[in-house]
Amino acid sequence: MLEPYFYRDNELTVEGVTLADIAKKEGTPCYVYSSAAILERYQAYDRAFGIAPHQVYYAVKANSNLSLLRMMAEAGAGFDIVSGGELFRVLKAGGDPAKVVFSGVGKSREEVEYAIASGIHSFNCESEAELALINSIAARHDVSARAALRVNPNVDARTHPYISTGLHDHKFGINIDHVKEIYDRAAGLGHLKLEGVSCHIGSQLLDTKPLLEALDGVLALVEKLRAAGHPIQELDMGGGLGVAYTDEQQPPSTETYIQLVCKKTAGLGLKLMVEPGRSIVASAGVLLTRVMYRKTTANKEFVIVDAAMNDLIRPALYQAHHEIVPLRHRDAVTITADVVGPVCESGDFFARDRELANVFSGDYVALMTAGAYGFVQASNYNSRPRAAEVMVDGAGWKVIRKRETFEDLVRGE
Ligand SMILES: *Cc1c(COP(=O)(O)O)cnc(C)c1O
């Protein structure tokens, strides 16, 4: 796997570009993504399936910048969306609607209308009432809408509770024991093509075991559905593969996981679908920020940076760990400090009691592995304009989202 960020002459670089140059030119906070790393991660999925019929649907919610989506569309990716807004982005970026699957527990009537009118591939449905709504809208458009029920296999993904979705206690999917009776009833509705099943048990999975356990359950269900006369042809295994936020975390390799899926499904005549988000974009991105102040209290050292929880909420929301490294490596001296932002919340921290390089006011640092669930969760809290986003491509870079201005903050008020 390509490790896009490394030091050259003590300067952190990506694809031959010195990150400090980007920070100086575009300001901070600033997200930077490596196009080569993103494409490599996407192609690793695509290639791993070999000759098995398949489609990779990039999960747009992980990072929905238009330039990134355009790049993915050109590489042949499909898209997993969870809202009408994400469909709008995909279409705007030139994505093929015939390669879009629509997931999510609460699709509105307007969103279903928009998706059917756009001609998406299929809906991953999470309730019987949703199937009925899709059927009625498809009837009005005089089409048959492809729909797959999202199965809740009651498997513990053993990840953070907020990103675990495959237990019966979670709001997601339909209890695997009730799926067949719903297909039986829905088959009579007339405007649905019930040709698939889908499943997504959580995110940041560091072990393939729960994924394969869920797959076993879903394959048993496919057999049961086919025996009852439902022509199941598609199997969507969702996303969920984790990434290494620290050196200790060892995520499963994409190749190993996909090959295990292919082995279990060989000869079943199923089109295989996956919806990876994090594992494609997380390690391709960093958040650049500048050290503003250092201050020492009775028992703590603080490094105050110009990025905050409104730019990257993962540490506050999921107790997530992001490595913090200097853009210019000075010497081997380290400090132990809390790295915090300017927002008026004690939850506004990036690291606590972290050993890091001895950085000073004016130095730049990078929060690593920030390409997924970073900018997309950014807000304007504390009336902070959202950060710029930059895409590096070969030896150059371009701004793919301008830093917001104060005027942007009050637009629409
Ligand atoms: C969030 C989500 C994904 C992507 O998950 P990652 O962990 O980012 O790979 C895929 N499918 C569904 C239905 C999701 O909700």
Side-chain angles (χ1 to χ4, degrees):
M1 195 167 117
L2 177 71
E3 179 34 74
Y5 294 88
F6 56 86
Y7 286 94
R8 200 179 54 193
D9 300 332
N10 291 325
E11 297 270 3
L12 191 63
T13 66
V14 62
E15 295 190 47
V17 172
T18 303
L19 286 161
D21 291 345
I22 299 179
K24 270 179 232 149
K25 174 92 195 307
E26 310 302 344
T28 52
C30 176
Y31 278 95
V32 177
Y33 312 115
S34 156
S35 57
I38 294 167
L39 286 174
E40 193 226 25
R41 298 313 300 143
Y42 163 71
Q43 279 151 3
Y45 273 98
D46 197 38
R47 267 199 315 268
F49 283 100
I51 55 162
H54 70 278
Q55 178 65 48
V56 179
Y57 297 86
Y58 166 65
V60 173
K61 75 174 188 283
N63 187 323
S64 57
N65 185 285
L66 284 183
S67 297
L68 194 151
L69 298 182
R70 189 171 303 119
M71 191 174 88
M72 300 290 289
E74 282 167 6
F79 297 96
D80 170 52
I81 59 165
V82 292
S83 71
E86 287 190 350
L87 177 54
F88 177 78
R89 283 182 174 276
V90 166
L91 298 179
K92 195 123 185 131
D96 179 359
K99 288 201 271 187
V100 168
V101 295
F102 195 164
S103 301
V105 73
K107 303 172 191 78
S108 72
R109 169 178 293 275
E110 292 73 21
E111 287 175 322
V112 171
E113 285 269 9
Y114 180 29
I116 287 180
S118 303
I120 68 162
H121 176 74
S122 66
F123 292 90
N124 286 334
C125 298
E126 307 218 12
S127 66
E128 198 165 0
E130 184 192 332
L131 281 176
L133 174 72
I134 293 170
N135 181 73
S136 72
I137 295 173
R140 205 149 20 80
H141 285 255
D142 202 21
V143 294
S144 266
R146 195 176 284 104
L149 279 190
R150 173 169 175 181
V151 176
N152 184 321
N154 201 27
V155 167
D156 187 352
R158 294 187 280 278
T159 180
H160 190 278
Y162 290 2
I163 50 174
S164 183
T165 58
L167 285 171
H168 285 170
D169 283 350
H170 298 134
K171 69 178 175 181
F172 296 100
I174 290 179
N175 184 326
I176 194 160
D177 301 324
H178 302 155
V179 171
K180 182 186 160 290
E181 57 196 80
I182 296 178
Y183 275 89
D184 288 345
R185 283 197 292 271
L189 289 175
H191 287 271
L192 296 177
K193 280 188 279 202
L194 296 164
E195 299 169 349
V197 286
S198 73
C199 182
H200 172 76
I201 60 168
S203 199
Q204 183 53 11
L205 275 67
L206 292 173
D207 182 4
T208 54
K209 247 219 223 90
L211 285 162
L212 296 171
E213 195 182 322
L215 177 60
D216 286 338
V218 173
L219 287 178
L221 174 70
V222 168
E223 199 178 307
K224 187 163 121 183
L225 289 171
R226 283 178 164 178
H230 300 291
I232 305 300
Q233 298 160 17
E234 300 188 342
L235 171 63
D236 184 343
M237 284 303 297
L241 275 204
V243 299
Y245 287 101
T246 69
D247 287 343
E248 293 93 69
Q249 290 175 334
Q250 286 293 335
S253 95
T254 298
E255 291 77 5
T256 308
Y257 167 55
I258 297 300
Q259 278 157 22
L260 287 167
V261 171
C262 288
K263 211 157 126 196
K264 276 187 189 283
T265 54
L268 294 180
L270 288 167
K271 172 186 163 188
L272 301 174
M273 304 155 74
V274 284
E275 305 166 343
R278 187 192 309 271
S279 51
I280 290 183
V281 293
S283 61
V286 296
L287 174 59
L288 305 184
T289 182
R290 190 172 51 86
V291 176
M292 296 196 296
Y293 306 104
R294 266 173 73 168
K295 84 171 187 183
T296 312
T297 60
N299 44 14
K300 260 197 193 286
E301 175 86 32
F302 289 93
V303 172
I304 302 162
V305 297
D306 68 356
M309 65 188 291
N310 74 295
D311 300 301
L312 177 67
I313 203 172
R314 299 190 67 261
L317 188 59
Y318 313 112
Q319 293 86 47
H321 179 104
H322 289 272
E323 288 292 324
I324 302 175
V325 301
L327 296 197
R328 175 170 295 140
H329 185 70
R330 200 180 283 115
D331 51 39
V333 180
T334 62
I335 54 170
T336 298
D338 282 18
V339 180
V340 301
V343 161
C344 302
E345 299 262 355
S346 292
D348 180 27
F349 62 86
F350 291 125
R352 284 184 158 154
D353 297 321
R354 178 78 64 85
E355 185 177 2
L356 77 156
N358 188 24
V359 288
F360 298 98
S361 175
D363 286 350
Y364 293 113
V365 297
L367 289 137
M368 304 304 290
T369 327
Y373 305 107
F375 184 87
V376 285
Q377 294 199 72
S379 76
N380 292 122
Y381 187 41
N382 278 210
S383 286
R384 288 168 52 85
R386 281 181 293 175
E389 291 178 286
V390 164
M391 182 73 78
V392 177
D393 183 1
W397 82 79
K398 69 171 195 280
V399 175
I400 57 171
R401 193 180 207 276
K402 282 197 277 197
R403 181 178 310 286
E404 286 180 343
T405 63
F406 288 164
E407 281 303 324
D408 291 328
L409 292 179
V410 295
R411 202 176 307 289
E413 288 181 21

